Amino acid sequence: MSNTLTEVTSAVTTALSKLPSPESIDNAARMQLLGALDKLRAALEPPPVTLLNHCFSFWALSVIRVAQGMGIFDAFAVAEGTKQLTLDELNSRTKGDKELLFRVMRYLCAQKIFTRPSQESYQPGPLASQLSSGLPTANLIKHFYLHMRTAAHLYEYFEAKDYRNPADACDAPFQFAQCTRQHHFDWLTEHPDDQEAFNSTMSMTRTADGIEWFNFYPVEEKLQVASPDRTLLIDIGGGIGHDISAFKQRFPQLPGQLVLQDLPQVINDIPSPLAGIAAQSHSMFDAQPVRNAKAYYLRTVLHDWPDKQALEVLTRIREAMAEDSVLLINEHTPAAGGELSPIAAALDLHMMQTFSALERTEEQWVALLEKGGFRVVKVWKPQQEGLHLTTTAALYEAVPQ
Ligand SMILES: C[S@@+](CC[C@H](N)C(=O)[O-])C[C@H]1O[C@@H](n2cnc3c(N)ncnc32)[C@H](O)[C@@H]1O
């Protein structure tokens, strides 16, 4: 090895030994360091290795899903006290035969999801404990396993469609892969396990970034109602109420009513009544029954829809608004230029393949809102850095034109 390479290797090894606990590093510094490491890897990795990494990348999701089906993560969760299990112990607590179990465990160990403290035993790593049944992180795997099945048909879809950008919400790669004409949300109603995984996944998307909209929007200054009977905020397409519940927790004393709306199959999935929040089953394409609310709020709802349907939703909201109502759109906003993380870039393709929709840039959001009869008052953005697992969230405050 050349002297320079020896120095680089030693610098990286020293840096690793001196690294403070990851939780104590602020997000901006963490992302900077990870960015530097990504560049180092890209510069070092021989193209055949990069190629093989791409070719084998789908295996992790597939095998984790199989391991969930066999009950491997649940077996360790139940055996919490012992922490380690032998192959025979694990076999007695899981579905399927021992030979398959051994091969699945070998892959999961290669991925560092489990370790082998001895030849006889397996020990779960930090990720394994997040994959047992019922946890949102486990449901994330189920959710993306479904989408991996769509992505596997992307090439055939575009061959059949002459590589045209999908624009019909009921003729996306999703419908092609599932041999259906149903919109994804209609299809979910008939697939309760996938619906549950979807609802659960939505409850965790933003927490990963750690930045809530009400921490960078001046709520107390902007959202005032004279009468406590007036609706202060309605969260349209708010899922099982995770976002509006966080808002209620942050501002418990703010006068006014809080309303959550979503499709019946989502509202019916709310495990217990939400404190201080009225939950309504309602389709946002129908006339909005909550009139004159102070704020109509939608988080990552319109990114599921091409412009045609997004404009219909905006019209239904505009019809219900009072003179002093505001529209608050909380959405991923990828930068128009510059580099996106692979996850942020893929999220746009995810909207495309599932809904024929897209992640809009700031310019596209403003254009959509103006076309929908709104004037954008301000685009609010968080001051501190998120983890950029997806893309930076922005809050579009708009009023009828
Ligand atoms: C991407 S999720 C976002 C959920 C939530 N706002 C969040 O940020 O976590 C989109 C939501 O829109 C809901 N949705 C889809 N079609 C709808 C409709 N016609 N009326 C009301 N909600 C709808 C879905 O059920 C889902 O909960």
Side-chain angles (χ1 to χ4, degrees):
M1 217 184 321
S2 76
N3 276 351
T4 318
L5 273 187
T6 312
E7 275 168 31
V8 173
T9 308
S10 137
V12 171
T13 313
T14 311
L16 190 61
S17 68
K18 289 186 178 162
L19 199 68
S21 81
E23 299 75 43
S24 68
I25 309 175
D26 77 63
N27 285 341
R30 192 197 290 232
M31 294 317 289
Q32 203 179 1
L33 185 53
L34 284 172
L37 288 175
D38 282 349
K39 282 187 187 141
L40 184 65
R41 172 176 281 281
L44 268 184
E45 199 166 74
V49 175
T50 310
L51 184 65
L52 283 178
N53 279 333
H54 287 318
C55 291
F56 283 81
S57 62
F58 66 91
W59 278 104
L61 186 52
S62 303
V63 177
I64 292 173
R65 187 71 192 93
V66 169
Q68 285 179 322
M70 293 174 83
I72 291 175
F73 304 110
D74 290 344
F76 281 95
V78 172
E80 181 86 56
T82 55
K83 293 262 194 275
Q84 294 177 20
L85 293 175
T86 64
L87 186 65
D88 284 329
E89 286 168 339
L90 189 54
N91 190 37
S92 69
R93 296 163 196 226
T94 51
K95 255 200 247 175
D97 61 51
K98 191 170 154 185
E99 201 181 345
L100 176 66
L101 181 64
F102 173 75
R103 297 167 81 178
V104 168
M105 288 308 290
R106 184 163 55 185
Y107 179 86
L108 295 175
C109 288
Q111 286 289 354
K112 319 253 183 307
I113 294 172
F114 288 92
T115 52
R116 298 198 73 173
S118 69
Q119 282 292 48
E120 287 76 42
S121 58
Y122 297 98
Q123 182 169 323
L127 186 59
S129 62
Q130 295 188 29
L131 295 173
S132 46
S133 299
L135 298 176
T137 31
N139 285 324
L140 186 75
I141 297 288
K142 295 182 185 173
H143 178 69
F144 279 99
Y145 183 76
L146 168 67
H147 293 296
M148 181 176 74
R149 281 155 54 204
T150 300
H153 291 82
L154 217 49
Y155 166 73
E156 285 78 9
Y157 171 86
F158 281 116
E159 274 287 306
K161 304 280 180 191
D162 276 340
Y163 295 91
R164 283 191 301 275
N165 194 39
D168 179 343
C170 290
D171 191 17
F174 173 79
Q175 282 79 19
F176 182 86
Q178 294 296 334
C179 302
T180 179
R181 286 294 294 176
Q182 282 182 305
H183 187 274
H184 182 65
F185 287 127
D186 296 328
W187 183 90
L188 282 180
T189 37
E190 291 173 18
H191 296 80
D193 287 350
D194 291 297
Q195 177 76 65
E196 192 197 336
F198 174 87
N199 294 345
S200 174
T201 297
M202 288 311 113
S203 73
M204 63 178 290
T205 44
R206 275 308 155 69
T207 352
D209 259 10
I211 299 170
E212 303 287 1
W213 67 276
F214 44 74
N215 291 329
F216 60 88
Y217 179 74
V219 169
E220 282 154 308
E221 178 198 323
K222 294 266 187 180
L223 303 186
Q224 296 282 349
V225 286
S227 155
D229 295 333
R230 183 175 178 192
T231 300
L232 175 70
L233 183 132
I234 167 166
D235 184 359
I236 301 171
I240 52 175
H242 39 278
D243 197 8
I244 197 165
S245 295
F247 176 83
K248 175 75 183 165
Q249 251 183 341
R250 174 76 175 74
F251 300 101
Q253 310 303 345
L254 222 51
Q257 306 297 310
L258 296 178
V259 179
L260 165 74
Q261 282 182 346
D262 208 298
L263 295 168
Q265 62 271 26
V266 177
I267 295 296
N268 294 339
D269 202 33
I270 299 174
S272 51
L274 304 167
I277 298 161
Q280 285 184 355
S281 294
H282 176 71
S283 170
M284 61 195 177
F285 293 103
D286 296 336
Q288 176 53 256
V290 179
R291 306 191 76 78
N292 306 326
K294 178 65 194 167
Y296 292 82
Y297 170 81
L298 296 89
R299 182 175 85 165
T300 57
V301 173
L302 296 183
H303 80 154
D304 292 341
W305 297 94
D307 284 7
K308 181 173 176 280
Q309 285 89 355
L311 289 168
E312 280 175 39
V313 173
L314 290 175
T315 304
R316 296 292 85 79
I317 295 172
R318 200 160 33 76
E319 289 164 351
M321 290 173 96
E323 269 194 3
D324 68 340
S325 300
V326 288
L327 171 69
L328 299 174
I329 301 284
N330 185 358
E331 280 286 354
H332 301 299
T333 302
E339 257 179 55
L340 289 187
S341 73
I343 294 183
L347 201 61
D348 172 61
L349 298 179
H350 180 74
M351 295 306 135
M352 178 194 77
Q353 76 157 12
T354 316
F355 304 107
S356 293
L358 71 162
E359 293 296 5
R360 295 173 174 93
T361 61
E362 185 172 325
E363 208 176 37
Q364 287 172 316
W365 278 116
V366 172
L368 179 79
L369 288 166
E370 287 176 352
K371 206 169 168 193
F374 287 89
R375 176 174 63 81
V376 175
V377 178
K378 180 162 174 172
V379 184
W380 300 83
K381 291 178 186 162
Q383 280 179 349
Q384 81 266 43
E385 291 282 314
L387 278 176
H388 297 312
L389 292 173
T390 54
T391 41
T392 307
L395 188 77
Y396 296 81
E397 179 185 351
V399 292
Q401 272 169 5

